[in-house]
Amino acid sequence: MYTDIQGLVIGEKKQGENGKLLTVLTPNLGVLKISTKGGTKLTSSLFASSQLFAYSDMTIYQKGNFLTLTEATVKDVFFELNEDLVSLSLACWICEVASSVSVGEGEQGEIFRLLLNSLWYLSKNPDKHTLIKAVFELRVLFLIGFCPELICVNCGAEPKGDVIFDYTSGELFCAECGSKQGERMFLKRDTYLAMKYIAMSPPKRVFMFSVSDDDALTLSRLSERFLINMTGINTTKLDFYKNML
Ligand SMILES: [Zn+2]
C-alpha cells in the first residue's frame, strides 16, 4: 500500500550497501521508521530527503510492518543547523521532545509546525539558541495541556509584579503570596510577561518578542525544569547540548 505523508528526518542510520533507516517525525502519524534504498548515494533521487533535518513530501510503501520510501520532494532542509554544534545539539534535543510528546497516532499538527518554525528560526539565528529553546519547551508544554492559569493560586488575582512559579505543579503566585521554598523559581515581571506571551500568542508570532540575555536564561532554566518534571523525558540529548555551551 502506498501512502503520501509529510515528514521531517530526525534520525538516520546506514542500512545495507547504499541505504538508510530514517527516523521520520510526521504531523499526524507520530514517529515512523522508514527504509530508503540509495539514500546515501549523491546521484539518488532520495538523497536530499534522506538527510538529517530534511522536511519533505514523501510517498511510502508499506508491506507488513516495513515502510520504504519510494518518492520524495524536499520542501525545506535546515542545512545551517549542521554548521554549528550548539545549533545541531539543540535541534536534536527539540526533535527528541517533539517525538516523545507526539508518540502514536493523532493530530499533532501544531507541535509539528512549532518544531519546523523553531528549526527554521534556529537555523537563521543561531545566537538566539537559549531563547528558542525556552520558547519551544514552554509552548510544547502549553500545547499538551500544562499551561498555568496565569493567576495567583493563593489570592486569585492576576499578578501585577514579580511572580513565583512552581515547576513541579505549574502553579503561579504573586511574589507577596508565595514562598520561594522548594522547587520554585522567582521570575521578574519581564520574564513572567515573556512566559505569558509564549502561552497566548498565535503560532506564527510566538518568536516575535525580545528579552534580555539574562531573562532568556531564566526562561530556559524554568522551561527545562518544568518539562522534565511534567514529562519525565530522557535528557541525554539535553545534556549533550548543555555540554556544547
Ligand atoms: Zn497572590
Side-chain angles (χ1 to χ4, degrees):
M1 187 179 76
Y2 289 91
T3 313
D4 290 332
I5 62 165
Q6 291 175 349
L8 172 77
V9 177
I10 59 170
E12 49 168 352
K13 204 162 67 175
K14 202 168 180 305
Q15 188 180 53
E17 188 71 6
N18 315 308
K20 278 185 181 177
L21 181 64
L22 305 177
T23 306
V24 175
L25 183 63
T26 68
N28 43 24
L29 298 171
V31 177
L32 304 176
K33 295 280 186 186
I34 304 175
S35 293
T36 67
K37 292 196 178 86
T40 59
K41 276 170 78 177
L42 262 173
T43 50
S44 164
S45 61
L46 301 177
F47 179 80
S49 2
S50 302
Q51 305 305 307
L52 191 62
F53 307 126
Y55 168 50
S56 309
D57 283 327
M58 300 175 164
T59 303
I60 51 175
Y61 177 69
Q62 179 169 13
K63 191 174 180 187
N65 288 327
F66 294 98
L67 306 175
T68 310
L69 185 64
T70 58
E71 272 178 62
T73 309
V74 177
K75 294 169 77 120
D76 217 335
V77 185
F78 306 100
F79 61 88
E80 295 98 332
L81 297 175
N82 293 300
E83 293 169 359
D84 172 63
L85 275 177
V86 173
S87 298
L88 178 65
S89 56
L90 179 57
C92 289
W93 165 241
I94 65 175
C95 286
E96 171 82 11
V97 174
S99 53
S100 78
V101 297
S102 57
V103 176
E105 302 196 0
E107 185 53 65
Q108 295 292 341
E110 200 162 341
I111 290 175
F112 191 78
R113 277 196 298 279
L114 173 67
L115 177 64
L116 293 178
N117 205 357
S118 305
L119 292 178
W120 182 87
Y121 203 71
L122 180 61
S123 69
K124 305 297 177 204
N125 304 276
D127 53 319
K128 293 198 173 164
H129 61 90
T130 307
L131 185 61
I132 295 166
K133 169 181 173 291
V135 170
F136 179 82
E137 291 172 339
L138 280 176
R139 185 81 173 189
V140 162
L141 281 162
F142 299 161
L143 287 172
I144 62 174
F146 295 115
C147 191
E149 287 276 333
L150 301 174
I151 52 169
C152 172
V153 294
N154 186 50
C155 69
E158 197 176 327
K160 295 278 185 283
D162 303 334
V163 303
I164 290 167
F165 184 76
D166 185 322
Y167 54 82
T168 59
S169 64
E171 288 175 330
L172 198 74
F173 303 85
C174 336
E176 307 77 49
C177 283
S179 83
K180 289 180 212 166
Q181 287 172 342
E183 289 163 316
R184 292 178 178 179
M185 281 180 73
F186 173 81
L187 302 180
K188 287 189 302 172
R189 177 137 186 94
D190 282 356
T191 321
Y192 166 64
L193 289 178
M195 184 171 88
K196 192 170 166 184
Y197 179 87
I198 296 165
M200 316 279 278
S201 79
K204 283 187 177 164
R205 303 192 59 82
V206 72
F207 288 105
M208 293 189 184
F209 70 100
S210 59
V211 291
S212 69
D213 289 352
D214 277 353
D215 287 349
L217 202 57
T218 306
L219 270 179
S220 168
R221 287 191 185 125
L222 176 146
S223 59
E224 180 181 311
R225 289 172 189 175
F226 193 25
L227 178 77
I228 294 167
N229 264 293
M230 292 299 156
T231 63
I233 189 170
N234 180 316
T235 58
T236 309
K237 288 182 176 163
L238 173 63
D239 296 339
F240 192 72
Y241 158 73
K242 287 159 89 173
N243 284 337
M244 292 295 131
L245 302 176

